[in-house]
Amino acid sequence: DKKELQKGDNVTVTYYSYTLCNMASGNFEVTYDKSLFEFVSCETMSGMQTGYEVYSVNSDLPGRVLMSYGSSVAVKTGNLFKVTLRAINDTDASTAVNMKASSLYAQDLSDINGRETSVSLNIKKIYVEPEPEDYPDFKVVLPEHTDEGATMQAEVYYGSRTLLYYH
C-alpha cells in the first residue's frame, strides 16, 4: 500500500491471484530484510476465506513469514492474503518483500506450480529539523570613553534573571 516509508511506518503487501486453478492447499513464504522491517501481522483475505479453510502463520524467524493453508473448497481468484510490516531503521535504503508459493495443490490433489513474486520498497531517512535552542539574550554595556582607560561590563540575561555579570 506504500512505496516510500520512514521509520515507524507500516506497509501492507497484498497478494492477489487472477487464477489459481482451483487451489485447495499450499505454502507461502514471505521474506523481507530483518534489519529494515519487523513483522506486524498476516491475514487471509476474501479470496482464501471459503468458510472451510484452516491456516497457520509462523513469524518466529525475523525476516521470514511462513503461511500454510488448506481448504476443502477450491480457491479460484481474488485477494489471497496480506502481510503487514513496520519499518524499524532510520536509513535510506531500497529493498524488496518477496513471496514464494510452494506445494500448491488443486482440489483434486493435482500439483500446481508456484512462483516467486517481489514488491520493491524504498525507505527514506527521517530528517528532523533541529529545535532552535533557547539562547539567552546577551548584552554588553561599555562605559563612555575616558582618558583614564576604559572598563568593560558584560551582563547575560535569561528572561528577567541576570546569569552572569562581568566587570
Side-chain angles (χ1 to χ4, degrees), residues 23-108:
M23 183 197 80
S25 67
N27 295 315
F28 303 90
E29 177 182 11
V30 176
T31 56
Y32 57 91
D33 187 335
K34 65 183 177 186
S35 70
L36 298 175
F37 294 103
E38 67 182 0
F39 173 78
V40 175
S41 66
C42 178
E43 303 171 35
T44 61
M45 297 182 71
S46 60
M48 288 182 134
Q49 295 170 350
T50 64
Y52 300 96
E53 77 277 354
V54 293
Y55 72 98
S56 67
V57 175
N58 181 345
S59 60
D60 291 341
L61 294 172
R64 188 170 162 187
V65 179
L66 302 172
M67 184 174 80
S68 294
Y69 172 86
S71 176
S72 61
V73 176
V75 172
K76 295 182 171 118
T77 188
N79 290 330
L80 303 178
F81 65 97
K82 62 184 178 180
V83 174
T84 302
L85 305 171
R86 180 174 299 115
I88 59 170
N89 201 335
D90 189 17
T91 188
D92 289 328
S94 292
T95 189
V97 176
N98 303 299
M99 189 277 289
K100 183 177 181 180
S102 63
S103 303
L104 298 180
Y105 292 96
Q107 192 172 13
D108 65 2

